[in-house]
Amino acid sequence: MTTLLEQALALYTGLPAAERFHVHARASSAPLLSVVERMPGGTVADIGCGHGLLSALLSLSDPARTVHAVDPDPRKVEWARRSLGGLAQVKLAEGTVEDALAPRLPGACDAAVVCDVLYLLPEAKWPGFLRTVHGLLKPGGRFLLKEVEGDGSWKHRKALAQEWVMVSLLGRTKASGGMVLKPRAEMTALLAEAGFSVREVVDLGRGYTTPHVLYVAEASVA
């Protein structure tokens, strides 16, 4: 039987080899299925969707789920559109959460996910970014934030070196910040300041050479 991940990867067979390699590398290096398992149904925002692999997994795992996916990189959005065109419930847009989603979906989402995106933004913009995400959610809506933990380990240093290659050397990832990784205590505090109640902090680094951590939070009711 074809697995969920195999179904999603099959959508990318028509892309150039370099783009397919990037998508497959993403699939093998990040615990995306663990994120999908914790995502509720309904209307979901996938912020910083890249090639759309997580959006595809979210759609295929629950055909009744509507996924509003956004990314500022026009190249990746175009590759995503070519690959996910058959998934009508995935709505792709080029831009940022501030300009592409916030004006259209205020308080309309049951959940939002930000997966390996925050560290690419200038640290000074993190609080405003998180508040914007909060503004998309219904009261009690779920927020899944998957980041690499800045724990000082060799995995932490390896992740920074790898991202430097992807961002600065190869230009495969678009960034506007300094690639900052934070320990989980600081991230939990930032989420609380943005109006979220952190329900769970999940260590997803086992079996990976990257210290993945997932923050499962809810939009606090005012």
Side-chain angles (χ1 to χ4, degrees):
M1 180 179 292
T2 304
T3 68
L4 177 62
L5 187 56
E6 289 171 338
Q7 291 179 54
L9 290 174
L11 299 173
Y12 295 88
T13 55
L15 293 189
E19 303 305 324
R20 291 200 311 274
F21 175 82
H22 185 85
V23 173
H24 280 258
R26 176 69 170 154
S28 63
S29 64
L32 299 181
L33 292 177
S34 294
V35 177
V36 173
E37 290 169 0
R38 292 169 171 82
M39 181 64 73
T43 300
V44 174
D46 180 8
I47 301 161
C49 66
H51 287 76
L53 180 58
L54 179 56
S55 294
L57 291 167
L58 290 170
S59 175
L60 292 169
S61 65
D62 181 359
R65 182 185 283 135
T66 298
V67 183
H68 293 272
V70 64
D71 196 277
D73 189 332
R75 302 168 304 165
K76 290 184 179 180
V77 173
E78 180 57 30
W79 296 132
R81 285 184 174 135
R82 293 191 190 186
S83 304
L84 309 188
L87 301 178
Q89 63 272 46
V90 177
K91 316 296 182 182
L92 286 155
E94 178 190 333
T96 66
V97 61
E98 292 86 357
D99 62 41
L101 292 186
R104 295 191 293 112
L105 300 170
C109 295
D110 298 286
V113 59
V114 173
C115 194
D116 298 318
V117 171
L118 196 61
Y119 75 100
L120 295 171
L121 303 176
E123 188 177 350
K125 292 187 176 181
W126 290 12
F129 174 87
L130 292 173
R131 286 193 295 270
T132 300
V133 175
H134 187 285
L136 296 175
L137 295 170
K138 299 174 182 178
R142 181 169 296 182
F143 178 36
L144 300 178
L145 175 66
K146 210 298 289 174
E147 285 292 316
V148 174
E149 185 177 13
D151 59 3
S153 67
W154 70 267
K155 288 186 176 183
H156 167 190
R157 295 190 293 273
K158 169 260 176 189
L160 280 178
Q162 177 178 298
E163 290 305 320
W164 179 85
V165 171
M166 294 298 289
V167 173
S168 301
L169 191 60
L170 300 180
R172 294 292 305 177
T173 301
K174 187 173 182 178
S176 57
M179 291 186 285
V180 175
L181 304 180
K182 292 281 190 179
R184 64 185 65 184
E186 290 188 39
M187 292 303 303
T188 300
L190 277 169
L191 287 165
E193 290 169 6
F196 292 101
S197 298
V198 179
R199 301 304 186 192
E200 187 180 12
V201 180
V202 188
D203 186 345
L204 296 178
R206 184 181 296 274
Y208 293 93
T209 60
T210 299
H212 299 290
V213 63
L214 176 66
Y215 304 89
V216 182
E218 290 181 0
S220 302
V221 179

